[in-house]
Amino acid sequence: MPKPLILGYLGVLLFMIGDGVESGFIAPYMADHGAATDVRAGYVITVYGIAVMLASWFSGALCQVWGPRRVMWTGLVIWAVFDAAYLLFALGTENYPLMLVFYGIRGFGYPLFAFGFLVWITNTAPKARLGTAVGWFYFAFTGGLPTLGSLWSSLTIPSFGRMGTLWSALVLILIGGAIALVGARRRPGGDRMAPPEVTTGESLLNSVSIIWTHPRVLVGCLVRIINTAPEFGMLVYLPRIFSDDVGFGEDKWLQLLAIIYGTNIFFNLIFGVLSDRIGWRTTIAGFGALGCAISVTTLYFVPTWLGPDYYWVAVLAGMFYGATLAGFVPISALIPSMAPENKGGSMALLNLGAGGAAFVGPAVASLFLPLVGAGGVTLIFLALYLVALVLTLTLKLPEERDGEPSAPSTTDDGQTPRTDTASTTSPTTSSPATSA
């Protein structure tokens, strides 16, 4: 962990706890308070996902010309203002059109804040330890969304109700934002990264032009979408199925969700460190894509088959999915290193993939749930992870594509491994990488 940014990591954790408070119950709650059906509630979440996708892309390009610090402030303000509007004028009055508007616009908030900080990290951490630094970021990110956020909900709903719990989320957001931004206000890496002559439009253009100058980065974007699309998609239909159909009840479902992503946050660290040893691509393909293909089907089919008396089996299946989901963590180190001369553009495209998952997952669930049911949607997610496995094998660093032999000190992914020698640095360290 980059020590100067410790308060930033803490602030992101609290911010994402606030963002994740609603994740385990918001879809059925909207369906019962204005959206009318789970599918219509899924449409609201899909609109939110579109905003998340766009903001994730913008976060990379804007960090180049505004600096991560200013991008994070922008995200914090957007989230706070439009969340209050959503609670007061949309959900509070059961107004479905305003749900689409306010909840959707609020979606621009967390990617600007969280991914802005991720850029800050990768602008500070040395390349030889980038996988570990990114692992710490996802420890904080998924520690909040949805891990501790779901746990917070399971504790506060009995006392304050769902609406009171949603208001408490706003308080957590403001506290986390203040800690991250005030605590890191004088730390290096938070200011403008691009040369003075680069405009905002040019930065956005660079984030698009990389599609044809480095097509493998686009492939990495697709892998990043598949990474968490099922996670967001299952949050559309699993709350109702596990709570009502399987019979766990809302409390146990929220606790299960916290266990899933509690496991995930620790494996984010494990796979971040491991990837610096065995290679980024190897970790993504083997533990991430293949592992998730198995675990995502286990998570749905085993608990629904066994029923409510085997909650402990559901816990084990959830822990399995949470662990394998972390296998994708090194993609935030691999993809920017594939385009060393345009890391800002690769970072923007990878962020687009991260945000795109919040759109693609709910969209797949909303579109196919009426057609093939929850089991069919889960099988679609299985197929997507297998596609990610194939795509990951094409993600090669420049020296591998050019046919140049790797340096003796690098792994098969071109990453300098950890050693027992103090202060070892990578002989190929370049300008700070950026990632999603």
Side-chain angles (χ1 to χ4, degrees), residues 20-47:
V21 160
E22 66 189 35
S23 57
F25 68 87
I26 194 62
Y29 188 64
M30 284 195 293
D32 295 337
H33 294 81
T37 67
D38 286 346
V39 173
R40 279 164 58 90
Y43 293 152
V44 177
I45 297 174
T46 300
V47 171

Side-chain angles (χ1 to χ4, degrees), residues 14-23 48 52 71-87 102-114 145 165-174:
L14 291 173
F15 186 102
M16 298 313 299
I17 290 174
D19 192 82
V21 160
E22 66 189 35
S23 57
Y48 171 85
V52 169
V71 171
M72 291 177 68
W73 272 112
T74 303
L76 176 61
V77 171
I78 289 175
W79 205 104
V81 170
F82 286 96
D83 183 63
Y86 166 72
L87 295 177
F102 291 138
Y103 195 77
I105 295 176
R106 200 200 75 179
F108 286 96
Y110 98 71
L112 294 176
F113 184 88
L145 174 66
T165 295
L166 291 172
W167 279 109
S168 73
L170 180 57
V171 176
L172 291 171
I173 288 288
L174 294 174

Side-chain angles (χ1 to χ4, degrees), residues 204-243:
L204 291 171
L205 180 61
N206 286 337
S207 68
V208 175
S209 64
I210 197 170
I211 293 175
W212 52 84
T213 60
H214 295 82
R216 281 188 175 87
V217 174
L218 178 60
V219 174
C221 174
L222 296 177
V223 173
R224 183 63 185 87
I225 289 174
I226 295 172
N227 172 193
T228 48
E231 172 190 343
F232 289 105
M234 288 191 296
L235 291 176
V236 172
Y237 63 89
L238 280 191
R240 186 83 73 179
I241 289 175
F242 275 24
S243 297

Side-chain angles (χ1 to χ4, degrees), residues 81-304:
V81 170
F82 286 96
D83 183 63
Y86 166 72
L87 295 177
L88 287 171
F89 306 116
L91 194 59
T93 62
E94 300 189 1
N95 188 311
Y96 183 68
L98 289 183
M99 286 183 189
L100 291 166
V101 174
F102 291 138
Y103 195 77
I105 295 176
R106 200 200 75 179
F108 286 96
Y110 98 71
L112 294 176
F113 184 88
F115 295 141
F117 184 67
L118 181 56
V119 173
W120 201 333
I121 293 170
T122 56
N123 197 31
T124 304
K127 184 179 179 181
R129 298 294 179 263
L130 185 54
T132 304
V134 168
W136 275 109
F137 168 79
Y138 282 108
F139 178 93
F141 186 94
T142 58
L145 174 66
T147 312
L148 294 179
S150 298
L151 184 59
W152 178 275
S153 298
S154 69
L155 298 174
T156 57
I157 287 176
S159 300
F160 304 109
R162 291 172 181 80
M163 184 61 77
T165 295
L166 291 172
W167 279 109
S168 73
L170 180 57
V171 176
L172 291 171
I173 288 288
L174 294 174
I175 294 174
I179 290 175
L181 290 166
V182 175
R185 66 186 183 279
R186 292 190 176 92
R187 300 304 185 184
D191 299 321
R192 179 186 176 99
M193 301 161 61
E197 65 274 10
V198 176
T199 66
T200 301
E202 289 172 338
S203 182
L204 291 171
L205 180 61
N206 286 337
S207 68
V208 175
S209 64
I210 197 170
I211 293 175
W212 52 84
T213 60
H214 295 82
R216 281 188 175 87
V217 174
L218 178 60
V219 174
C221 174
L222 296 177
V223 173
R224 183 63 185 87
I225 289 174
I226 295 172
N227 172 193
T228 48
E231 172 190 343
F232 289 105
M234 288 191 296
L235 291 176
V236 172
Y237 63 89
L238 280 191
R240 186 83 73 179
I241 289 175
F242 275 24
S243 297
D244 300 339
D245 298 347
V246 176
F248 290 150
E250 186 178 60
D251 288 347
K252 284 191 174 181
W253 155 246
L254 291 174
Q255 291 166 11
L256 174 61
L257 199 61
I259 291 170
I260 292 172
Y261 296 102
T263 304
N264 175 254
I265 64 175
F266 289 104
F267 275 88
N268 284 337
L269 293 178
I270 292 172
F271 284 126
V273 174
L274 182 64
S275 69
D276 283 338
R277 292 180 177 272
I278 69 172
W280 298 331
R281 189 175 61 246
T282 301
T283 304
I284 297 166
F287 294 101
L290 182 59
C292 282
I294 300 171
S295 64
V296 74
T297 51
T298 303
L299 175 60
Y300 173 78
F301 286 105
V302 171
T304 54

